[in-house]
Amino acid sequence: MLKPSQTAYVPFVSVENMMRLVLHVGIEKMLTELAAEIEADFARWPLFDKTPRVASHSDIGVIELMPTSDGETYGFKYVNGHPSNTKRGLQTVTAFGLLADVATGYPLMLSEMTILTALRTAATSAMAAKWLAPKGSTTMAMIGNGAQAEFQALAFKAVCGITEVRLYDIDPAATAKCARNLQGLGLNVVSCKTSEEAMLGAQIVTTCTADKQYATILTDNMIGSGVHINAVGGDCPGKTELHRDILLRSGIFVEYPPQTRIEGEIQQLDADHPVTELWEVITGAAEGRKDERQITLFDSVGFAIEDFSALRYVHSRLKESGLFVDLDMIADPDDPRDLFGMILRAQSA
Amino acid sequence: MLKPSQTAYVPFVSVENMMRLVLHVGIEKMLTELAAEIEADFARWPLFDKTPRVASHSDIGVIELMPTSDGETYGFKYVNGHPSNTKRGLQTVTAFGLLADVATGYPLMLSEMTILTALRTAATSAMAAKWLAPKGSTTMAMIGNGAQAEFQALAFKAVCGITEVRLYDIDPAATAKCARNLQGLGLNVVSCKTSEEAMLGAQIVTTCTADKQYATILTDNMIGSGVHINAVGGDCPGKTELHRDILLRSGIFVEYPPQTRIEGEIQQLDADHPVTELWEVITGAAEGRKDERQITLFDSVGFAIEDFSALRYVHSRLKESGLFVDLDMIADPDDPRDLFGMILRAQSA
């Protein structure tokens, strides 16, 4: 075989190399830097090519493509959501993503994104809370202690200065796993037997459960004034976590309304219920938290721009870290019109 | 580092391995088998989840995602179109694609698709001509002798029994390249100085040029009765190859009307101009060629189902050929809820 030219190669970040990158940078530093990248991209929100994710639904799950572009760089993520996977010993969510050069259409990087999605989701949550949560928040209730929980806890520690996280999950084994993993990482971790107990003294409540159904993880009586709710788990049609009455009492902040109205907690509300776009809070075009008594809700579903920011972050660290391999993914004949000749020459080579 | 489990791996078919597969199977056999796979999928067309491709346009090109699913397997292709790339020594079109399991959302295979797209486009053209071209066609005019030309010529030889191909390109170097590559492959190859000369005695006319503009590769007076036109190059908004008058005289056959009306030759016609879907000809639900005097036009733009068929074909040959490598692309912790713990253990391992 002839050796492919440099143009043929696309850097690929494997799961192993992504773990190495997290450990190389340090997880809290990486979450902080990701939050900064995401915030910077939210601040230039109008520049981006935005489209609701392209979903292929089946009875037991969904496969989605989430593309976006800032006019110079294009990115997309492939992501699935299959709650029943856990029973088979598989991940509910797996993902990978790609960056490409808008000028040529050539891929710049392919990367695993299962781990990266967990990081960017936590970084986005913490970044939103930095703008919306009550000043001086120190305690977070963490309802749902699955794959996302530790990332959320550490992002809120690193970005918002949370010192105590109070864990609750319907499965005590999940809480035990989460508490064990967070041991020695600088947080006061309290394992709780009910969600009410988890919420004692919490200024921030994060819900991150996985059932694909209309669930009521939080009921109205559980939410006192001034709390910031970070609702992560309600993220597709038919999957919500909060009682509708909570929504009616809250100032609601979202990523991209056309997507959130379909996938978020607000799918329970009228299509014209007022919501504030988070990027407008960041640019100063809209008000964030009104006062210390307001309940604020970040109705997070995950948007393509967050993946774009995360992919660009990883791409910017490729050279320094060397944590990638080159994939021979782009056919690159010497004469671009001679694709067929390249095959012929491969035969004789 | 801990060794990833088998679930973490996704078979990857590189450009080199795709070339090896083509040579291993034999190009004409592979084109014939691809045409059969595509035809079989067209025959079960209503089963598929169909959506127009998701395009991100810029001034100089387009990046597209083309997803589809048959309910059991999901596939998508990433493909760009940048006509000016050729001037930089890059491919106009590069592509890669993925198959995934609908039941779990886990990827089944990642593959280069620059070469595979050239193969499936040619196989689709020839399959359509098998249904639409005049019986006993032996001669094809090939207008546009770029990267796609040799694949078209060999597909029409293998699937339709074409014995002579008459080449024309505005750039004589492209014609010379194409003629050189086709030498000794069993076709009578005639290099022509004008498109009129190329069309002498041709029952089939294939147009496959690359300029992103409204071009008129064929004018009305050039097309006699009974000809089958295989219009490959007009495949995005603002890019057509045929004079509108030809369309008005032709029986028009398309892949997926919502996409073709935006991207195909028929973007020049009213939105309700009658067209026939090719899959209906294959199932017998619609008539193909009416008589030997009718001009038939396959207004090909390329549809996701063709990529799906091609990816499944390659996937079915993985085990036998061994022409792939495993990529560590899916994070796969022992306990699916313990993604964070996997990173922690990577540190200590």
Side-chain angles (χ1 to χ4, degrees):
Chain A
M1 282 285 160
L2 301 172
K3 202 177 152 40
S5 76
Q6 199 48 46
T7 334
Y9 288 117
V10 178
F12 166 63
V13 181
S14 67
V15 174
E16 181 176 327
N17 274 327
M18 185 62 77
M19 293 197 290
R20 284 189 171 150
L21 181 65
V22 175
L23 297 170
H24 170 74
V25 176
I27 186 158
E28 283 194 49
K29 184 170 177 221
M30 188 157 167
L31 285 162
T32 306
E33 290 178 346
L34 281 170
E37 291 273 344
I38 294 165
E39 188 175 85
D41 282 338
F42 270 58
R44 60 191 191 113
W45 188 268
L47 268 178
F48 283 87
D49 202 4
K50 288 173 287 290
T51 172
R53 61 183 105 199
V54 183
S56 177
H57 292 278
S58 67
D59 292 345
I60 59 165
V62 63
I63 297 176
E64 300 172 329
L65 299 174
M66 301 168 68
T68 191
S69 161
D70 69 358
E72 289 185 9
T73 308
Y74 171 94
F76 84 88
K77 179 166 81 168
Y78 168 102
V79 60
N80 74 300
H82 287 71
S84 61
N85 271 3
T86 311
K87 287 173 212 141
R88 310 189 192 197
L90 301 175
Q91 287 286 110
T92 300
V93 173
T94 70
F96 69 91
L98 183 106
L99 282 183
D101 179 14
V102 168
T104 64
Y106 270 49
L108 296 168
M109 182 185 76
L110 178 75
S111 176
E112 89 81 36
M113 285 192 80
T114 309
I115 295 169
L116 191 59
T117 296
L119 291 162
R120 77 85 161 127
T121 301
T124 304
S125 287
M127 185 273 283
K130 198 187 77 177
W131 290 91
L132 300 174
K135 291 284 158 248
S137 296
T138 56
T139 302
M140 176 162 85
M142 183 78 230
I143 316 291
N145 302 152
Q148 175 63 204
E150 299 93 333
F151 297 96
Q152 288 280 338
L154 290 179
F156 277 79
K157 172 175 182 282
V159 175
C160 306
I162 289 299
T163 57
E164 177 168 315
V165 60
R166 302 176 64 83
L167 307 177
Y168 172 71
D169 196 290
I170 47 168
D171 180 359
T175 303
K177 176 259 335 176
C178 185
R180 195 169 56 239
N181 282 337
L182 289 174
Q183 219 165 20
L185 296 181
L187 278 167
N188 185 23
V189 180
V190 183
S191 298
C192 304
K193 292 201 163 49
T194 64
S195 30
E196 286 80 0
E197 185 190 347
M199 290 168 66
L200 281 177
Q203 298 91 6
I204 299 173
V205 179
T206 291
T207 56
C208 191
T209 60
D211 267 351
K212 190 175 179 178
Q213 60 182 358
Y214 294 108
T216 309
I217 307 303
L218 298 184
T219 54
D220 193 33
N221 63 316
M222 291 163 72
I223 296 296
S225 69
V227 164
H228 174 67
I229 306 170
N230 172 41
V232 178
D235 63 355
C236 69
K239 181 166 180 293
T240 60
E241 295 181 315
L242 308 186
H243 192 282
R244 186 171 181 275
D245 288 348
I246 298 176
L247 308 184
L248 298 175
R249 287 165 61 208
S250 303
I252 301 174
F253 299 83
V254 303
E255 290 141 317
Y256 181 57
Q259 185 176 306
T260 312
R261 292 203 188 272
I262 296 168
E263 302 174 356
E265 296 298 329
I266 58 171
Q267 66 186 276
Q268 304 181 65
L269 301 182
D270 294 338
D272 61 352
H273 188 92
V275 299
T276 304
E277 297 187 47
L278 182 59
W279 73 270
E280 294 191 300
V281 177
I282 292 166
T283 61
E287 191 181 22
R289 167 173 286 274
K290 278 199 206 327
D291 56 49
E292 60 183 18
R293 294 191 52 78
Q294 188 187 26
I295 300 168
T296 50
L297 165 63
F298 178 47
D299 186 2
S300 167
V301 297
F303 189 58
I305 293 175
E306 296 148 24
D307 300 311
F308 177 92
S309 313
L311 284 169
R312 289 229 308 179
Y313 175 85
V314 172
H315 187 251
S316 72
R317 264 107 194 123
L318 284 187
K319 269 198 190 155
E320 174 258 323
S321 72
L323 293 169
F324 66 95
V325 293
D326 276 322
L327 289 191
D328 162 28
M329 201 158 99
I330 303 299
D332 182 47
D334 299 335
D335 171 357
R337 290 178 308 192
D338 200 9
L339 192 60
F340 188 84
M342 184 175 76
I343 301 174
L344 290 186
R345 284 188 294 279
Q347 184 158 35
S348 46
Chain B
M1 282 284 159
L2 302 172
K3 202 176 149 47
S5 76
Q6 199 48 45
T7 334
Y9 289 116
V10 178
F12 166 63
V13 181
S14 67
V15 174
E16 181 175 326
N17 274 327
M18 186 62 76
M19 293 196 291
R20 283 188 171 150
L21 181 64
V22 174
L23 297 170
H24 170 74
V25 176
I27 186 156
E28 283 194 50
K29 184 171 178 224
M30 187 157 168
L31 286 162
T32 305
E33 289 178 347
L34 281 169
E37 290 274 344
I38 294 165
E39 187 175 85
D41 282 339
F42 269 57
R44 59 191 192 113
W45 188 269
L47 269 178
F48 283 89
D49 201 5
K50 288 172 287 291
T51 170
R53 60 183 105 200
V54 183
S56 178
H57 290 278
S58 67
D59 292 345
I60 58 165
V62 63
I63 296 176
E64 300 172 330
L65 299 173
M66 301 168 67
T68 191
S69 161
D70 69 357
E72 289 185 9
T73 308
Y74 170 94
F76 84 89
K77 178 166 84 170
Y78 168 101
V79 59
N80 75 300
H82 286 71
S84 61
N85 271 3
T86 312
K87 287 173 211 142
R88 309 188 193 199
L90 302 174
Q91 287 285 111
T92 300
V93 173
T94 70
F96 70 92
L98 182 103
L99 282 184
D101 179 14
V102 168
T104 64
Y106 270 49
L108 296 169
M109 180 186 77
L110 177 75
S111 176
E112 91 80 37
M113 286 192 79
T114 309
I115 294 169
L116 191 58
T117 296
L119 291 162
R120 76 83 161 127
T121 301
T124 304
S125 288
M127 185 273 284
K130 198 187 76 175
W131 290 91
L132 300 174
K135 292 285 159 244
S137 295
T138 57
T139 302
M140 176 162 85
M142 183 75 229
I143 315 290
N145 302 152
Q148 174 63 205
E150 298 92 333
F151 298 96
Q152 288 281 338
L154 289 179
F156 277 78
K157 171 175 182 283
V159 175
C160 305
I162 288 298
T163 57
E164 176 168 313
V165 59
R166 302 176 63 83
L167 307 177
Y168 171 72
D169 196 291
I170 47 168
D171 180 359
T175 304
K177 177 259 334 176
C178 186
R180 195 169 54 238
N181 282 337
L182 289 174
Q183 219 164 18
L185 297 181
L187 277 166
N188 183 24
V189 179
V190 182
S191 300
C192 303
K193 293 204 161 51
T194 63
S195 29
E196 286 80 359
E197 185 190 346
M199 291 168 67
L200 281 177
Q203 298 91 5
I204 299 174
V205 179
T206 290
T207 57
C208 192
T209 60
D211 268 350
K212 190 175 180 176
Q213 62 183 353
Y214 294 107
T216 309
I217 307 303
L218 298 185
T219 53
D220 193 34
N221 63 315
M222 292 163 72
I223 297 295
S225 69
V227 164
H228 174 66
I229 306 171
N230 172 40
V232 178
D235 63 355
C236 70
K239 180 166 181 292
T240 59
E241 295 181 313
L242 308 187
H243 193 283
R244 187 172 180 275
D245 288 348
I246 298 175
L247 309 184
L248 298 175
R249 288 165 62 208
S250 303
I252 302 174
F253 300 84
V254 304
E255 290 141 318
Y256 182 57
Q259 185 177 306
T260 312
R261 294 205 188 269
I262 296 168
E263 303 174 355
E265 296 297 329
I266 59 171
Q267 66 187 275
Q268 303 179 65
L269 301 181
D270 294 338
D272 60 352
H273 189 91
V275 299
T276 304
E277 297 187 47
L278 182 59
W279 72 271
E280 294 192 300
V281 177
I282 292 166
T283 61
E287 189 182 25
R289 167 173 287 273
K290 278 199 206 329
D291 55 50
E292 60 182 17
R293 294 192 51 78
Q294 188 187 27
I295 300 169
T296 50
L297 166 63
F298 178 46
D299 186 3
S300 166
V301 297
F303 189 58
I305 293 175
E306 296 149 22
D307 300 310
F308 177 92
S309 313
L311 285 168
R312 290 229 307 179
Y313 175 85
V314 172
H315 186 250
S316 73
R317 263 105 194 125
L318 284 187
K319 269 196 188 156
E320 175 257 323
S321 71
L323 293 171
F324 66 95
V325 294
D326 275 323
L327 288 190
D328 162 27
M329 201 159 100
I330 303 299
D332 181 48
D334 298 334
D335 170 358
R337 292 178 307 193
D338 200 9
L339 192 59
F340 188 83
M342 185 174 76
I343 300 175
L344 289 184
R345 285 189 294 279
Q347 185 157 35
S348 45

